Amino acid sequence: MLKKKMFRDIRKNLSQFIAIFLMIMIGIMAYSGIKAYMDGMKKTSDKFYSENNLFDLNVVGPLTHNDLKTIKDIDNVKDAELKLSVNATTDKEKTLLLNFIESNNISKFYVLDGEKFNPNKSGIWLDNFYCEENNIDVGDTILVKYESMELHEKVLGKINVPDHLYDTRDSSELYPDRKDFGFAYMSTNEITEDYIKSLVMKEMNIKDEKVFDTIMLNFNYKDYIPYSSIMVDVKNKNKKYKVKNNIEDKVENAKAIINVEDTSSYVTYQGEIDEGKTYVGVFSGIFLFIAMLSIITTMTRVIKKERVQIGTLKALGFSNRKVLLHYIGYGFWISIFACITGLILGYYVIGNIFINLEMAFFEIPNGAPSMNISSYYVSLIVIGIVALIIYITGRNILKENPAETLRTKIPSIKGNILNITKKKFFKKFKFETIWNIRDILRNKMRTFMGLAGVVGCCTLIVCALGMLDSMNFFVKLQFEDLYNFDYKLNIKEDIKNNELQVLYDKYGTNTSKSLGIEIKDKNGKREANNIFVTDASNYVRFVDNKNRIKDKPNNKGIYVTYKLASTKGYKKGDIITWHIYGDNKYYKSKIIGFNKDPQNQNISMTRKYLESLGIKYKPDSLYTNIDLSNTKEIKNIETIQDIEKLKEGMAGMLSMMKTMLILIIGIAVILGGIIIYNLGILSYTEKEYQFATLKVLGFKDKQIKNIFIKQNNWIAIISIILGLPMGFYLTDWLFKTAIEEHYDFGAYITLRTYIISAIGTFIVSYLVSKFLARKVKKIDMVTSLKGNE
């Protein structure tokens, strides 16, 4: 009998139970989906790094086989491999980060198509994304050029490599240009003897090859390959820093020793995971919070509405326990089905969509969402909360005797609360305004729940759109305000002074240099960073923390970025102790000011200040506004970067972000609509008796509809007023906490976003109110008025 009654009651209140189902489902779907995608990223990378043996340390410098042997002999070193990395070009003038290796036991290839690495095999293994963008297949032959080397190589495999998840040409690029830039690997056997001989002759200042052959009788060119790094695999990861110190002491040619956790590829991917952890807590947390508030209100009202039925069941002899379990079942079964549906949709819809977007962004194979046990715990908590609310509400009713329960409970209202509407000020208002004020005061909890739900949804919409606004503003700040040039030329490292002068004469003298450094704190702890040395006049500018252009640092000290200063506790006037990688001499520099850099938290100084420290200035970048759109290659320039292409790359990153935000906005709008509809149904149900009374008193349907719609409009307007600033603060907080430490973003939300969010929220609320107001015509006068006797 009780089961039939449950199904009958659910059919009778179908719209409210559907709303409960949808709210729980959407909340669980949002949480489990975002969580599954973030855990999927973590699980995918952990597996990829482990199975393909990502290096622990990367030793950078002009290294040899003797250095390799020294490193291998160091205690706790499991293995080490030499690598030569150069920026090469192809026959289509695209750039390849070309790596020559002797073996592939560290940072091993994941071959998507083709064959495994074989040092004795002639050919090239290419970046899979680069192949896809340029329609290159295994078996094709491509031309690779580097200085005097021109190699026609057969593509032996399309690969992913664990230290190349996210490759950009240099730090000025935020988004990888997969079509024009990729990585490639070849055996060191492919390096030509002529090329190595020319390098050695240049170093020995010998121009005649016969003279060289006479001097170097037993010349073995492989002994003179100028390797640029050694990848190190450590046995005990906890002793990695000890290995690092030993390499510094024993390998004189080691200019820098970089932890894998400090490499841009690792940092960027890990940063994406860390951002997602914040999103899980914020977005899905808000979804669940506002959904649970509405569910609590709904279930409480539904059970209280069953008061007379509860009294009837008690009078018929049903025990309190049986009655209580019956009503707990209302929410329990709906919650279970909603949670199961939410978990399934979260994994297969949200999780899959988001991780596929990420896998199109990072070069990592077999990306898949991973359902975390916490999603099941959250589902159980939601089910438990719903059951607990019903239990508490039902138990309070069951405490009364059947005679009391069979009568509709008269609400307890303090007269002095409603007396406010009798004041002189309120007497000027129309009847419907006074009536709505009194109704709000009588039903404070329902009003609060309505406000909380609509505020939460408005906040989420502002936040999602505001994040996009902020990223667009960042692009403008980076590529229009800070970068005041059209082209950036990356100068080759071995350029001579006379060759540099040729570039100056043709393209100007606006240059800069980046120095890899280690900063030592008061406790002797060292951390990697970099110094940006500017001699670029107004081509590279500086801004303060309010994004206003400011003067570059003077010649008496350094600028530190605001975020780095905040992280490390630096103040103006502090002294920073640092040394350049490859040089053990330490320098002390005074902080004379701060600047904002959206994508690189570092130190800045002028060329004159650098030279005052006794350090030679040799630029690595040259900036110009000369039109180079038709120029493919410049002597002694590694790459030509067009500012417009850098912007386009950022636009690609924004398009991925836009897709994610559209999903979040969509969920927020749907959830907001359901909550507004659900609260509207509750509001209307509670007012049905009063509306019937107003009809008896001669009020027309149109007047009663206006009373109902007006109150909901008030709640919507107040919610929007609260939700708009909360959306800003949420966006700002997300950028300051979720974005990884190399970036310095802040909220920048346009007036258009506020207007769209406000109008959108109000329209949804108004349309729902308008739809529900139609029920006024269908009020059963007898049932409504007699039901409370």
Side-chain angles (χ1 to χ4, degrees), residues 100-101 119-121 186-192 221-222 225:
F100 293 96
I101 56 176
N120 301 314
K121 199 84 181 264
M186 294 171 64
S187 168
T188 50
N189 294 328
E190 296 295 287
I191 302 174
T192 62
Y221 80 95
K222 289 186 178 180
I225 295 174

Side-chain angles (χ1 to χ4, degrees), residues 541-544 548-552 559 562 593-595:
R541 297 186 290 209
F542 294 84
V543 295
D544 61 19
R548 298 174 301 198
I549 302 294
K550 65 180 294 183
D551 292 335
K552 66 181 180 181
Y559 276 175
Y562 287 102
F594 304 98
N595 69 293

Side-chain angles (χ1 to χ4, degrees), residues 655-671:
S655 67
M656 184 195 75
M657 182 180 175
K658 192 180 292 184
T659 305
M660 292 185 173
L661 295 178
I662 286 170
L663 281 171
I664 292 170
I665 293 167
I667 294 171
V669 169
I670 293 168
L671 186 60

Side-chain angles (χ1 to χ4, degrees), residues 462-509:
V462 172
C463 180
L465 291 173
M467 289 178 76
L468 200 58
D469 282 343
S470 301
M471 292 299 290
N472 284 325
F473 175 75
F474 158 71
V475 173
K476 176 188 174 296
L477 177 66
Q478 186 71 65
F479 297 110
E480 294 180 23
D481 298 342
L482 294 178
Y483 292 170
N484 189 33
F485 55 84
D486 292 333
Y487 293 90
K488 178 183 177 183
L489 310 180
N490 295 304
I491 303 169
K492 288 185 177 178
E493 190 176 352
D494 58 352
I495 190 170
K496 294 180 179 178
N497 289 334
N498 61 321
E499 294 170 329
L500 189 59
Q501 189 59 50
V502 172
L503 293 175
Y504 287 164
D505 293 340
K506 192 169 184 179
Y507 303 107
T509 58

Side-chain angles (χ1 to χ4, degrees), residues 589-613:
S589 297
K590 183 179 180 181
I591 299 174
I592 57 171
F594 304 98
N595 69 293
K596 180 176 180 178
D597 190 324
Q599 60 169 322
N600 193 8
Q601 306 318 306
N602 62 355
I603 295 170
S604 298
M605 64 174 63
T606 62
R607 172 182 178 173
K608 286 187 178 179
Y609 178 72
L610 181 77
E611 291 176 335
S612 72
L613 298 174

Side-chain angles (χ1 to χ4, degrees), residues 301-487:
R301 300 296 180 188
V302 167
I303 300 304
K304 285 184 176 179
K305 193 177 176 183
E306 292 280 304
R307 176 186 175 82
V308 175
Q309 285 88 334
I310 291 171
T312 303
L313 290 171
K314 286 183 71 176
L316 291 172
F318 284 88
S319 66
N320 286 355
R321 180 176 173 275
K322 198 161 189 177
V323 173
L324 203 52
L325 289 173
H326 166 66
Y327 282 102
I328 287 174
Y330 281 56
F332 180 77
W333 292 110
I334 287 174
S335 300
I336 284 181
F337 290 128
C339 286
I340 292 171
T341 308
L343 289 170
I344 293 169
L345 292 177
Y347 182 88
Y348 288 104
V349 178
I350 304 294
N352 268 315
I353 290 173
F354 277 26
I355 204 161
N356 286 335
L357 287 169
E358 293 287 2
M359 293 305 102
F361 191 64
F362 292 101
E363 297 211 41
I364 185 167
N366 304 323
S370 175
M371 189 63 77
N372 189 279
I373 196 168
S374 66
S375 297
Y376 300 110
Y377 288 149
V378 169
S379 299
L380 290 174
I381 289 168
V382 168
I383 294 167
I385 290 173
V386 173
L388 180 64
I389 294 302
I390 298 172
Y391 170 77
I392 293 170
T393 307
R395 190 183 63 174
N396 289 335
I397 296 173
L398 287 167
K399 284 179 181 178
E400 302 172 10
N401 61 52
E404 290 176 337
T405 313
L406 285 167
R407 285 193 289 269
T408 302
K409 189 173 182 179
I410 299 170
S412 175
I413 302 170
K414 295 180 180 178
N416 58 349
I417 292 177
L418 300 181
N419 284 340
I420 188 173
T421 57
K422 297 178 181 178
K423 303 294 181 183
K424 188 175 180 181
F425 174 75
F426 289 94
K427 287 181 180 179
K428 298 177 182 178
F429 293 157
K430 292 181 180 180
F431 169 78
E432 58 262 31
T433 303
I434 296 172
W435 191 91
N436 276 322
I437 293 171
R438 293 171 70 88
D439 185 65
I440 288 170
L441 294 173
R442 275 196 301 264
N443 299 280
K444 292 186 287 294
M445 182 54 69
R446 185 194 70 211
T447 305
F448 171 76
M449 294 297 185
L451 281 170
V454 182
V455 165
C457 295
C458 182
T459 298
L460 285 171
I461 293 170
V462 172
C463 180
L465 291 173
M467 289 178 76
L468 200 58
D469 282 343
S470 301
M471 292 299 290
N472 284 325
F473 175 75
F474 158 71
V475 173
K476 176 188 174 296
L477 177 66
Q478 186 71 65
F479 297 110
E480 294 180 23
D481 298 342
L482 294 178
Y483 292 170
N484 189 33
F485 55 84
D486 292 333
Y487 293 90

Side-chain angles (χ1 to χ4, degrees), residues 182-216:
F183 64 85
Y185 278 80
M186 294 171 64
S187 168
T188 50
N189 294 328
E190 296 295 287
I191 302 174
T192 62
E193 182 175 355
D194 289 342
Y195 169 66
I196 299 299
K197 182 184 283 189
S198 67
L199 289 181
V200 178
M201 287 175 63
K202 187 176 180 181
E203 190 177 334
M204 296 175 67
N205 200 23
I206 298 173
K207 295 181 180 180
D208 191 332
E209 189 173 343
K210 291 181 180 180
V211 174
F212 177 82
D213 291 338
T214 303
I215 297 172
M216 306 290 287

